[in-house]
Amino acid sequence: QVQMMESGGGSVQAGGSLMLSCAISGHTSSSYCMGWYRQLTGKEEREGVATIDSDGSTNYAESVKDRFTISLDNAKNTLYLQMNSLKPEDTAMYFCATHVRAVPTTCSGGYCLSPRCPDYWGKGTLVTSSL
């Protein structure tokens, strides 16, 4: 059973930076995509922020391109999200999640940004950016 646990959330002033971490256990698949998703306050749906595929390729939502960077340390089984130049509109609950490709699916590349792709989710960490 895959388990994921986020850490690193907090409150920062607009323009500041935060790094989120996601500790991963039980993940043995060699074909997957994993990433960060967020749920804005007052919204029911989650949105994809950044994903990384098992081939190393990355994809980002337009709203965070050039500000956020996703990375995966396989030796530490940890997924990261470096967030720079934070804006008030980045305030949200951030989740790490993964989709394990047991069979060919559409969940690859940029399609992994869809919150319908992940099979396993962490519980989330809150990020608040204020003026």
Side-chain angles (χ1 to χ4, degrees):
Q1 181 77 0
V2 177
Q3 293 186 323
M4 309 181 82
M5 182 178 295
E6 306 89 344
S7 61
S11 297
V12 295
Q13 281 193 322
S17 298
L18 276 177
M19 176 176 272
L20 303 183
S21 300
C22 175
I24 306 162
S25 61
H27 196 294
T28 59
S29 175
S30 61
S31 182
Y32 58 84
C33 61
M34 62 176 65
W36 293 92
Y37 302 78
R38 66 187 182 187
Q39 186 167 3
L40 304 178
T41 303
K43 292 207 171 182
E44 288 189 9
E45 284 199 0
R46 297 176 184 179
E47 61 182 34
V49 175
T51 60
I52 186 165
D53 209 286
S54 47
D55 65 3
S57 59
T58 58
N59 289 277
Y60 295 90
E62 284 296 325
S63 59
V64 306
K65 269 184 182 176
D66 301 324
R67 298 190 298 124
F68 291 10
T69 303
I70 189 171
S71 60
L72 176 63
D73 187 329
N74 285 305
K76 295 183 178 179
N77 292 323
T78 303
L79 182 70
Y80 300 99
L81 184 68
Q82 176 66 45
M83 304 185 295
N84 298 327
S85 303
L86 279 160
K87 303 176 180 180
E89 51 263 45
D90 294 318
T91 295
M93 185 70 79
Y94 283 73
F95 301 86
C96 60
T98 188
H99 169 71
V100 176
R101 284 194 289 264
V103 295
T105 71
T106 57
C107 290
S108 63
Y111 290 102
C112 277
L113 285 168
S114 169
R116 297 177 184 175
C117 279
D119 308 300
Y120 303 95
W121 293 83
K123 294 185 178 181
T125 186
L126 182 62
V127 171
T128 303
S129 177
S130 55
L131 295 171

